[in-house]
Amino acid sequence: MEEDVETRKISSSFLRDHSYATEADIISTVEFNHTGELLATGDKGGRVVIFQREQESKNQPHRRGEYNVYSTFQSHEPEFDYLKSLEIEEKINKIRWLPQQNAAYFLLSTNDKTVKLWKDEDGEWRMGSRCLRAPTMVEPVSPLCRVLVRVRWGSGTCPWVLTLCLSSQVPVLRPMDLMVEATPRRVFANAHTYHINSISVNSDYETYMSADDLRINLWNFEITNQSFNIVDIKPANMEELTEVITAAEFHPHHCNTFVYSSSKGTIRLCDMRTSALCDRHAKFFEEPEDPSNRSFFSEIISSISDVKFSHSGRYIMTRDYLTVKVWDLNMENRPIETYQVHDYLRSKLCSLYENDCIFDKFECVWNGSDSVIMTGSYNNFFRMFDRNTKRDVTLEASRENSKPRAILKPRKVCVGGKRRKDEISVDSLDFSKKILHTAWHPAENIIAVAATNNLYIFQDKVN
Amino acid sequence: MGEEEGLHQTQLLDTMFVRGLKRKCFDGEEDIEGTLAGIKAIPSYNLQRQSLLDMSLVKLQLCHMLVEPNLCRSVLIANTVRQIQEEMTQDGTWQMINTQSTGQASLDRLVSTDILCRSSREQAEGKHVPGYSTFDKDFEGDQAQDNSETMSTASSVQTPRNLQSNVWEMENAQENKGNFQKSLDQIFETLENKSPNSVEDLFSEVDNSYYDLDTMLTGMMSNTKMGHCDGLETFASPTSTASNSNCKSDLNELDHIVEILVES
């Protein structure tokens, strides 16, 4: 396309200042599909926006493989539970892609209570079909801001390039000849009393699981009115409740194996072949507590917010409030690697408890080769850890720092004493700007970072 | 209480609370740099622990105002309360609380909770409070300065305002105070009358007391999130933090914008 697209000014009609983010635009989940061609985001308003990677063209090599909006649809609506007199949020908690079959894309999206299976077919939008309706068609929105930056990582040249920055998740709708209300292909409802926190597609591609605070259910994609309960940790007396499920995932290769993490910092690996109800774990991962660090907040910061298998299936990674840990499946008594994400917050725990930040649930991701792990932090910072070289970097996702062709420097937080010029002190961190959701392309060094209502896509720039 | 225990308490102080930076709470071991407030009143470990307990109890209550309380968060807070309670039972201080009359004692507890919540700006104004750090000044940014000023003009025994939910700050100060006393009394009443395992009852309290909260806080009928937030629009602390402020006031605005887009 034209050169001026790259330096085009941000359209002010869609621009939303960071400070006045519309709550509904806050991105709540980000996920690449299995080939990396598509990137899905879900937001608090129940919408799903799917980006598609452009085909590389020889004419414009610097625009290699950038992501543009492909489609968007309203996945969940707010509901009202009349029995409890409570509202059910439409916020999309998780999106998981199914492996591509034929020309169709399938994804699962879930809010607190209901999982939905969506299908859209490439280039073919079905309108008014009886059994299948396509998501609402939208005009692809050109990226409002496109900049190229290079990031220096450590002393080497592992440069990262910001290729896409959307300032708002609001898509442009244009009236269709036939306005079709999007309906999902399958709706898996009424199976969860508590809030769904995870969904995971099984490697058999026939089943998937959904996990809430106290139970995990197994579903078959073809059957929407029935699910099998495979984990139930609800005590007979709710007053005895001290632990909840925080995340769950299937093993990438073994369709009978899955893990789930708890609010007490433990991970359980279960084998579905042993019994119908997997209350007895096959493996139990827990690191003994460090007595020197013990405080009233110890349990809260040990609560695991995310658990992810490595692509190889040999390791699991867990994220708690201050650290990321890598565990070997064969060793249950402690992790093999521990990475400090923002240890400078350890002395601020009381304040973070008071303002509820201590309950923030950060996610973590592996890169395609399992050599680098990434997670978010505050002040729009996110961190990457190279497992082989043991180097780490802190980067910032912010429009202020993204000038065209600028070199983005790694950021550093100053803990105490003298603050250097480019460092930021702990007290200056903005705790309302948190990066909870990130995603890594399955094969290439492309990452998607959600910063409140903005989505950043970084690409490494190979010269 | 031997020396060993004293050391143990100091360690806990260090790990529990902020230390070392100016206008932060004093940990008894390092030099205080700066403020008078830090030197003037050194909060005892017991007071700090009590404040943490109060804060936790309030959080448990507040999370019932929200539409669908986050179970994980509630469980973690309840576990924290249980921990504190167990330690206090071992210390013997738990008995002390039981014997205090609810009237005056509640006020004292309110003060100590309030201390934790006051912004460091108010502390700098020379109020006789321990120099707690609250982080409000830092992360709420300039927009929150107005909030601090509002708070500082209220009566000296204030209810904890900049706790979790923004909706608190809309209420009249006096009304809040009365309601808070009543609610904390209710909670402590529950705790007093039961056995050491009474914290579990918080959950049963929690499940049933939803409608009590409605009477407790007038106008807080939190059946819809949107209902509140109409009034909050002018107030809005845009960069406010992790508060689960379920403010969907802008959703109407968004609908409006989308409507315009579709029509054009």
Side-chain angles (χ1 to χ4, degrees):
Chain A
M1 280 231 191
E2 311 74 38
E3 194 62 34
D4 56 318
V5 172
E6 294 205 273
T7 52
R8 195 170 94 188
K9 292 272 183 284
I10 295 168
S11 164
S12 58
S13 55
F14 291 114
L15 185 65
R16 281 202 156 77
D17 190 300
H18 278 281
S19 310
Y20 294 89
T22 301
E23 187 108 343
D25 285 346
I26 295 175
I27 301 171
S28 51
T29 184
V30 188
E31 187 83 357
F32 280 100
N33 75 338
H34 291 259
T35 59
E37 183 202 352
L38 298 176
L39 174 68
T41 65
D43 65 24
K44 246 188 149 182
R47 282 173 305 215
V48 172
V49 180
I50 301 177
F51 298 85
Q52 186 179 39
R53 195 174 183 189
E54 278 180 16
Q55 295 301 318
E56 300 185 21
S57 78
K58 294 209 171 72
N59 301 336
Q60 310 204 334
H62 58 276
R63 296 248 334 241
R64 155 183 87 92
E66 287 173 352
Y67 287 82
N68 290 320
V69 174
Y70 168 67
S71 79
T72 179
F73 56 92
Q74 187 73 32
S75 170
H76 287 74
E77 300 275 1
E79 289 169 49
F80 195 75
D81 182 338
Y82 292 96
L83 221 53
K84 294 189 206 168
S85 196
L86 294 172
E87 205 175 283
I88 300 171
E89 279 190 316
E90 68 276 27
K91 172 170 76 93
I92 308 292
N93 292 337
K94 285 288 186 314
I95 289 175
R96 289 288 182 264
W97 290 92
L98 274 66
Q100 190 169 349
Q101 293 168 9
N102 309 319
Y105 301 117
F106 289 87
L107 63 79
L108 286 174
S109 68
T110 185
N111 68 347
D112 283 338
K113 297 287 185 177
T114 305
V115 185
K116 295 187 182 180
L117 174 67
W118 292 89
K119 173 185 178 183
D120 66 72
E121 306 207 30
D122 193 6
E124 222 177 279
W125 298 94
R126 298 222 201 142
M127 305 281 195
S129 155
R130 267 183 310 217
C131 48
L132 175 72
R133 291 187 187 189
T136 309
M137 175 104 169
V138 297
E139 176 145 326
V141 175
S142 298
L144 298 179
C145 166
R146 192 179 284 151
V147 296
L148 284 176
V149 299
R150 176 189 286 142
V151 173
R152 285 222 182 91
W153 183 353
S155 58
T157 48
C158 183
W160 288 92
V161 167
L162 170 64
T163 59
L164 175 69
C165 169
L166 284 195
S167 67
S168 170
Q169 286 289 297
V170 176
V172 177
L173 295 175
R174 69 175 166 85
M176 293 296 296
D177 298 333
L178 194 67
M179 280 297 276
V180 178
E181 187 131 308
T183 54
R185 186 155 197 222
R186 299 262 154 77
V187 179
F188 305 88
N190 303 322
H192 285 280
T193 311
Y194 304 96
H195 290 180
I196 297 175
N197 53 52
S198 310
I199 46 176
S200 178
V201 179
N202 205 348
S203 49
D204 62 7
Y205 305 151
E206 287 178 4
T207 57
Y208 75 94
M209 71 159 143
S210 56
D212 66 28
D213 293 318
L214 298 178
R215 298 194 178 96
I216 302 181
N217 293 332
L218 182 72
W219 302 83
N220 184 302
F221 281 112
E222 303 297 320
I223 303 170
T224 59
N225 58 357
Q226 194 182 359
S227 69
F228 293 100
N229 177 243
I230 52 177
V231 173
D232 189 340
I233 64 168
K234 180 170 189 270
N237 187 355
M238 273 298 273
E239 291 168 4
E240 292 164 5
L241 180 66
T242 59
E243 190 175 11
V244 300
I245 297 170
T246 52
E249 198 183 42
F250 268 116
H251 191 283
H253 310 308
H254 305 310
C255 57
N256 53 285
T257 306
F258 65 93
V259 292
Y260 69 92
S261 61
S262 82
S263 58
K264 287 199 169 171
T266 65
I267 308 106
R268 290 172 176 81
L269 184 138
C270 298
D271 187 332
M272 293 195 292
R273 294 170 299 190
T274 53
S275 65
L277 187 62
C278 300
D279 275 352
R280 303 179 69 93
H281 49 261
K283 295 199 183 196
F284 182 76
F285 299 83
E286 187 180 26
E287 184 174 22
E289 195 180 5
D290 179 8
S292 65
N293 267 338
R294 173 124 188 85
S295 76
F296 285 120
F297 305 110
S298 294
E299 185 183 319
I300 299 179
I301 62 169
S302 73
S303 173
I304 292 173
S305 51
D306 194 17
V307 66
K308 292 267 169 52
F309 272 102
S310 65
H311 292 92
S312 62
R314 276 195 59 192
Y315 306 103
I316 47 178
M317 167 168 56
T318 59
R319 175 72 157 97
D320 51 63
Y321 190 62
L322 297 178
T323 70
V324 184
K325 296 181 176 151
V326 176
W327 306 73
D328 187 316
L329 283 189
N330 298 318
M331 187 159 74
E332 300 170 50
N333 59 350
R334 60 181 175 82
I336 56 170
E337 294 156 29
T338 301
Y339 301 93
Q340 302 294 333
V341 180
H342 38 217
D343 199 56
Y344 44 79
L345 297 182
R346 196 177 287 273
S347 57
K348 312 277 184 195
L349 291 179
C350 186
S351 304
L352 295 166
Y353 178 69
E354 185 201 340
N355 63 29
D356 264 13
C357 282
I358 207 174
F359 300 108
D360 286 336
K361 293 193 187 300
F362 293 94
E363 293 173 8
C364 53
V365 289
W366 298 88
N367 74 337
S369 59
D370 298 336
S371 58
V372 182
I373 57 183
M374 173 169 70
T375 188
S377 177
Y378 293 105
N379 209 73
N380 280 348
F381 288 169
F382 58 101
R383 304 259 284 141
M384 287 187 198
F385 302 92
D386 188 319
R387 297 178 61 216
N388 300 325
T389 66
K390 301 301 179 196
R391 282 195 324 209
D392 62 86
V393 68
T394 305
L395 302 171
E396 181 177 359
S398 105
R399 264 179 292 133
E400 288 85 40
N401 292 328
S402 305
K403 289 178 285 189
R405 313 217 179 262
I407 296 174
L408 209 82
K409 284 189 210 148
R411 302 306 306 271
K412 192 158 163 54
V413 177
C414 158
V415 180
K418 295 193 187 124
R419 185 178 76 88
R420 292 207 192 100
K421 197 177 66 167
D422 291 328
E423 290 182 357
I424 183 168
S425 74
V426 182
D427 296 323
S428 308
L429 293 174
D430 187 342
F431 286 81
S432 67
K433 295 184 181 171
K434 53 194 88 174
I435 293 184
L436 304 172
H437 313 288
T438 58
W440 204 308
H441 190 287
E444 300 184 32
N445 278 343
I446 305 173
I447 57 175
V449 175
T452 317
N453 65 330
N454 295 334
L455 179 71
Y456 294 83
I457 300 179
F458 292 87
Q459 228 168 16
D460 69 337
K461 184 167 158 60
V462 179
N463 279 321
Chain B
M1 295 214 180
E3 244 178 67
E4 210 179 335
E5 199 166 320
L7 275 175
H8 170 69
Q9 285 185 349
T10 312
Q11 274 172 4
L12 277 172
L13 256 176
D14 286 348
T15 53
M16 265 177 74
F17 297 100
V18 180
R19 61 179 166 149
L21 305 173
K22 67 175 178 179
R23 284 207 290 263
K24 310 304 187 223
C25 70
F26 178 58
D27 69 356
E29 284 199 338
E30 296 176 7
D31 288 340
I32 313 162
E33 312 226 19
T35 61
L36 218 50
I39 296 171
K40 209 184 272 184
I42 298 166
S44 71
Y45 171 78
N46 283 348
L47 183 62
Q48 288 180 346
R49 183 177 60 184
Q50 183 63 54
S51 301
L52 187 63
L53 176 66
D54 294 335
M55 183 173 33
S56 304
L57 291 171
V58 170
K59 275 182 182 301
L60 275 177
Q61 267 210 321
L62 277 180
C63 74
H64 278 279
M65 284 170 48
L66 299 185
V67 171
E68 279 257 58
N70 183 331
L71 188 62
C72 182
R73 183 175 166 277
S74 304
V75 167
L76 290 174
I77 297 172
N79 289 351
T80 308
V81 169
R82 197 179 284 116
Q83 269 187 61
I84 298 173
Q85 193 192 2
E86 277 169 12
E87 194 182 281
M88 287 172 92
T89 310
Q90 285 170 11
D91 279 354
T93 45
W94 188 250
Q95 298 306 317
M96 272 168 51
I97 292 180
N98 284 349
T99 56
Q100 274 174 345
S101 67
T102 50
Q104 189 57 36
S106 313
L107 266 177
D108 290 342
R109 284 197 279 273
L110 278 174
V111 168
S112 59
T113 312
D114 170 48
I115 286 165
L116 243 136
C117 299
R118 261 186 225 179
S119 72
S120 40
R121 185 173 171 276
E122 286 176 272
Q123 292 165 17
E125 284 170 29
K127 300 196 177 170
H128 178 60
V129 290
Y132 276 107
S133 124
T134 61
F135 250 11
D136 297 338
K137 185 175 138 225
D138 300 321
F139 63 72
E140 277 183 349
D142 289 338
Q143 284 93 344
Q145 286 303 311
D146 295 333
N147 306 347
S148 313
E149 284 166 84
T150 318
M151 285 189 281
S152 62
T153 56
S155 68
S156 60
V157 178
Q158 296 168 1
T159 54
R161 282 175 175 268
N162 43 332
L163 285 177
Q164 178 188 345
S165 177
N166 278 341
V167 296
W168 274 107
E169 294 168 319
M170 285 300 289
E171 296 290 290
N172 181 282
Q174 296 301 320
E175 206 181 349
N176 263 355
K177 183 176 75 173
N179 289 333
F180 239 116
Q181 281 179 351
K182 188 169 129 207
S183 64
L184 276 178
D185 285 354
Q186 282 172 350
I187 292 180
F188 279 98
E189 213 178 348
T190 313
L191 294 173
E192 282 165 17
N193 295 338
K194 303 283 168 66
S195 68
N197 286 332
S198 59
V199 167
E200 279 87 15
D201 291 341
L202 275 171
F203 269 120
S204 58
E205 269 300 305
V206 148
D207 284 335
N208 301 328
S209 64
Y210 181 74
Y211 295 107
D212 293 338
L213 290 174
D214 281 348
T215 57
M216 178 183 111
L217 298 158
T218 56
M220 286 302 173
M221 305 300 291
S222 44
N223 43 6
T224 61
K225 303 173 217 173
M226 290 173 76
H228 289 309
C229 293
D230 296 340
L232 282 179
E233 267 176 53
T234 52
F235 179 78
S237 178
T239 58
S240 88
T241 61
S243 79
N244 300 333
S245 63
N246 305 303
C247 183
K248 279 197 193 162
S249 63
D250 285 349
L251 196 57
N252 286 329
E253 198 189 296
L254 179 63
D255 286 346
H256 187 56
I257 293 174
V258 170
E259 236 178 77
I260 295 172
L261 288 174
V262 170
E263 285 166 17
S264 61

